[in-house]
Amino acid sequence: GLFIPLILIGSSFGWFCGYHWEHLVLNNHDLLNTRLNTYALIGASALLGGSTRMTISLTAIIMEITNDIYYLLPIMLTVILSKFIGDRFN
């Protein structure tokens, strides 16, 4: 029972960080919803990758959820980096 809560928490944190990155750092007040959704997707991938330490299967699952090949490279890099950081701390 951890998969869906990790997706929700990670996507919320990714959306929150993306909103503040775009709004405060880049001074982009005309936020596009697709950009924030991308931040949410990357946040969910990062939290799942760091918690479950699955790389290839998690990337395949997230790719099936999005159904868009455009996000393959960012998801792969995020999952591999979060697994590497999770392995270093535990």
Side-chain angles (χ1 to χ4, degrees):
L2 289 177
F3 201 75
I4 299 300
L6 286 176
I7 289 176
L8 292 176
I9 293 169
S11 63
S12 299
F13 188 70
W15 189 92
F16 180 78
C17 289
Y19 176 79
H20 288 293
W21 176 261
E22 292 281 330
H23 188 70
L24 297 176
V25 176
L26 299 179
N27 288 330
N28 185 7
H29 299 289
D30 184 31
L31 293 174
L32 297 174
N33 197 19
T34 56
R35 262 195 200 158
L36 293 178
N37 292 341
T38 304
Y39 287 120
L41 176 68
I42 297 301
S45 301
L47 189 63
L48 276 171
S51 300
T52 62
R53 309 265 171 38
M54 298 186 302
T55 54
I56 297 172
S57 59
L58 181 62
T59 303
I61 290 169
I62 298 293
M63 285 305 300
E64 287 181 11
I65 290 172
T66 61
N67 200 18
D68 193 2
I69 198 72
Y70 174 73
Y71 298 116
L72 179 63
L73 185 62
I75 290 172
M76 285 175 52
L77 293 175
T78 303
V79 168
I80 290 171
L81 183 65
S82 63
K83 181 193 180 305
F84 177 74
I85 291 172
D87 286 343
R88 293 293 164 232
F89 282 110
N90 191 2

